[in-house]
Amino acid sequence: MTDLVPVRRALLSVSDKTGLADLGRSLAARGVELLSTGGTAKALREAGLEVKDVSEVTGFPEMMDGRVKTLHPMVHGGLLALRDNEAHVMAMEEHGIGPIDLLVVNLYPFEATVAKGAEYDDCIENIDIGGPAMIRAAAKNHAFVNVVVDTEDYARLLGELDRHDGATCLKFRKKLAQIAYARTGAYDAAVSTWMAKALGDTQPRRRVFAGALAQGLRYGENPHQEAAFYIDGSDRPGVATAKQWQGKELSYNNINDTDAAFELVSEFLPAGGPACAIIKHANPCGVARGETLEQAYRRAFDCDRTSAFGGIVALNMKLDEPTARAISEIFTEVVIAPAADDAAKEIFAAKKNLRLLTTGGLANPAAAALTYRQVSGGFLVQDKDNGRIEASDLKVVTKRAPTEAEIADMLFAWTVAKHVKSNAIVYVKDGATVGVGAGQMSRVDSCRIAARKAQDMAEALGLSEPLTKGCAVASDAFFPFSDGLLAAVEAGATAVIQPGGSIRDEDVIAAADEAGLAMVLTGMRHFRH
């Protein structure tokens, strides 16, 4: 392959006109002939540049509402011809095909059209055909052709031309080709995913996921693992769309935990009052509501102060000065909230290792989405767990019905349990978690661990008894035996919320009645592995 190839002729056809005029001027100043289409040609001419329409090159006008304009041998021959192949050169000469050394194309805004909820026919019209065809052709022939698909690469291209006196090197063209194929791959993935959804096909024969690099990471879960963070282009508020105000770059584990924290706190709408969630290693170690945001934070913190150290704090409303001061009392890795006032930002400015993120809003916990996880030889895909339970959905199965206060705490515990790794047990009293048991192999162990944490915190807080006395408890799945339930009773729980569905439900209900508990069934499970 030839290393340095001069750029003498370029074809520009872009939907996103950002930086187009400056690019055109820079290429023209280097003596590059400009070819273009439709709106791109118009924009270049308005910038005072001389441009040849592709229709002049092909001998055919744009037709069929622009569907047919670049699908022609005069274009694709100029992109695909091997300049060092005698037969190719002779064919070009015989048919008057001029070489195209640079292709600058960005595609019809299909993803943006879908994102704004356009009708089916509008989405179809925004599927680019000629663009991907040219991109793939130019990328295949990267031995001789440069292909640029992202506006952020314009400066890189011009810098390369400056370094090599109007030419580009093979290594540079190879990288452009890789970026180009990734772009068309992502584009096709977006189209196929949208069409499957439009057809109601929940299990299409082939499924493709794509993302754009947001940042390279120092390492993954551990220092010996390489990692990077990619975004999918959706506008769901969260760590992917947040603005970082201060602190060093987020790590792999920071991003994972911050996402878990914000998804959890988004379950609690501001209309119901301030709420705070503290996450450590992707599990909640404290969640609470309060009269004020500061109170919500302190109540969440008092669930497990030890685990909260070096954790992630998520808030459901604007971070204020009192809350920022409270959070600053211990080391915290990340704080994420819909917004933050200037006083709070000023307080955090003194904490150079703390990252502050603002999202502009909460995520919608009821929104439909897909989650996926890699396994050896493939990946698992499922609907996001957006299941929600209201008081009217609860089925009372014990002799004693729960009080209104118990129902409120049961629903709070149930919401938190949805975000705790299975087997999950969550004790809640007065709108705050007072014990969390996560990720144990047996449910009874989760009950006991959560209770023990509550005992430890009672000692640390100087309380006469653990806050689990008189609490509600949630279990993310049914109690297979009564031992887990009895462990919760021993901890002090008076009300239980669980899915039900065990072959031993009658035994568990009988044990609850004997203990004087109120128990309700949801009929919904919240496993989280």
Side-chain angles (χ1 to χ4, degrees):
M1 290 187 181
T2 304
D3 188 13
L4 292 179
V5 173
V7 175
R8 300 189 179 96
R9 196 164 182 247
L11 170 54
L12 293 75
S13 181
V14 296
S15 293
D16 181 358
K17 305 298 191 295
T18 303
L20 174 65
D22 288 340
L23 175 65
R25 291 189 190 98
S26 296
L27 292 174
R30 290 168 172 81
V32 178
E33 180 187 4
L34 304 181
L35 312 179
S36 193
T37 61
T40 306
K42 179 182 178 182
L44 290 170
R45 290 192 181 101
E46 288 174 351
L49 295 167
E50 184 176 341
V51 184
K52 179 180 287 188
D53 285 316
V54 165
S55 58
E56 294 181 52
V57 176
T58 63
F60 279 86
E62 291 186 20
M63 61 182 71
M64 303 176 186
D65 299 318
R67 286 188 171 204
V68 179
K69 51 190 173 185
T70 59
L71 297 171
H72 194 281
M74 298 297 287
V75 173
H76 285 269
L79 293 171
L80 284 166
L82 298 173
R83 276 52 155 184
D84 60 355
N85 183 300
E86 186 178 349
H88 287 205
V89 173
M90 289 178 63
M92 292 174 72
E93 292 176 352
E94 180 181 353
H95 298 287
I97 298 173
I100 298 172
D101 310 307
L102 168 64
L103 176 72
V104 180
V105 169
N106 54 61
L107 304 173
Y108 290 174
F110 176 81
E111 297 99 329
T113 302
V114 171
K116 70 181 183 182
E119 296 293 328
Y120 184 91
D121 287 346
D122 289 337
C123 293
I124 289 293
E125 285 307 310
N126 276 277
I127 297 175
D128 203 324
I129 301 302
M134 289 192 294
I135 289 171
R136 292 177 62 83
K140 177 175 180 176
N141 201 23
H142 61 264
F144 303 98
V145 180
N146 302 271
V147 54
V148 176
V149 296
D150 295 319
T151 58
E152 55 262 46
D153 286 331
Y154 290 177
R156 290 180 59 208
L157 169 68
L158 297 174
E160 176 75 1
L161 292 173
D162 287 341
R163 277 188 294 275
H164 300 295
D165 194 24
T168 62
C169 71
L170 179 59
K171 181 179 180 181
F172 179 77
R173 295 193 299 276
K174 281 183 177 180
K175 182 57 181 175
L176 290 180
Q178 182 274 319
I179 294 171
Y181 279 125
R183 178 65 188 110
T184 57
Y187 197 78
D188 287 341
V191 173
S192 65
T193 298
W194 168 77
M195 291 203 75
K197 184 176 180 180
L199 292 169
D201 187 353
T202 59
Q203 298 181 0
R205 182 179 300 168
R206 291 182 176 84
R207 187 184 289 280
V208 184
F209 296 99
L213 181 66
Q215 68 184 82
L217 302 173
R218 297 191 302 277
Y219 52 81
E221 285 185 284
N222 302 291
H224 63 276
Q225 295 172 267
E226 290 191 11
F229 180 33
Y230 289 82
I231 55 175
D232 63 11
S234 63
D235 59 357
R236 182 178 180 85
V239 65
T241 57
K243 177 177 181 178
Q244 182 171 345
W245 293 90
Q246 67 170 70
K248 59 187 178 182
E249 276 194 351
L250 295 168
S251 70
Y252 181 101
N253 292 328
N254 290 153
I255 292 170
N256 188 58
D257 289 353
T258 303
D259 177 69
F262 197 70
E263 287 293 316
L264 170 51
V265 86
S266 291
E267 298 272 5
F268 302 102
L269 297 178
C276 173
I278 306 174
I279 296 289
K280 191 69 169 291
H281 299 308
N283 273 306
C285 56
V287 185
R289 279 201 183 274
E291 293 297 321
T292 65
L293 201 59
E294 179 190 2
Q295 185 187 59
Y297 167 74
R298 292 194 182 279
R299 297 187 75 208
F301 179 56
D302 284 346
C303 177
D304 186 352
R305 291 184 173 185
T306 300
S307 298
F309 185 86
I312 311 294
V313 174
L315 307 166
N316 74 337
M317 55 180 59
K318 179 187 283 190
L319 173 66
D320 56 23
E321 181 180 1
T323 309
R325 290 193 184 280
I327 294 171
S328 296
E329 291 172 4
I330 67 162
F331 171 60
T332 300
E333 288 274 9
V334 181
V335 176
I336 184 169
D341 65 27
D342 291 340
K345 292 175 187 175
E346 185 175 346
I347 291 168
F348 280 174
K351 300 285 184 178
K352 64 179 182 179
N353 289 325
L354 184 150
R355 293 87 152 186
L356 172 62
L357 306 178
T358 57
T359 62
L362 294 176
N364 179 1
L370 294 177
T371 65
Y372 51 96
R373 175 176 297 177
Q374 184 178 10
V375 297
S376 296
F379 50 91
L380 296 167
V381 180
Q382 66 174 348
D383 290 333
K384 184 180 179 66
D385 184 0
N386 58 4
R388 298 172 70 81
I389 293 294
E390 305 293 339
S392 59
D393 300 316
L394 303 178
K395 178 182 179 183
V396 180
V397 293
T398 48
K399 294 176 182 177
R400 184 175 79 81
T403 65
E404 288 188 11
E406 286 175 327
I407 289 175
D409 279 347
M410 285 192 292
L411 290 173
F412 190 100
W414 180 253
T415 300
V416 175
K418 171 182 170 181
H419 295 265
V420 179
K421 302 290 186 181
S422 297
N423 288 313
I425 292 292
V426 178
Y427 295 111
V428 166
K429 187 173 183 179
D430 298 331
T433 57
V434 293
V436 179
Q440 299 306 304
M441 288 68 75
S442 71
R443 195 158 299 278
V444 66
D445 284 345
S446 291
C447 291
R448 290 168 177 162
I449 288 171
R452 179 53 192 266
K453 282 182 171 289
Q455 291 173 357
D456 291 344
M457 278 307 303
E459 293 177 9
L461 296 171
L463 303 177
S464 60
E465 62 180 10
L467 290 174
T468 47
K469 298 298 181 182
C471 75
V473 62
S475 174
D476 66 334
F478 61 66
F479 287 100
F481 302 96
S482 60
D483 56 356
L485 180 78
L486 295 175
V489 171
E490 186 178 345
T494 62
V496 182
I497 182 170
Q498 56 124 331
S502 168
I503 60 174
R504 297 182 181 85
D505 270 355
E506 290 185 4
D507 295 340
V508 174
I509 293 169
D513 280 331
E514 187 175 347
L517 295 179
M519 186 161 69
V520 299
L521 304 183
T522 64
M524 176 185 291
R525 188 180 74 185
H526 278 314
F527 270 167
R528 186 179 185 87
H529 292 103

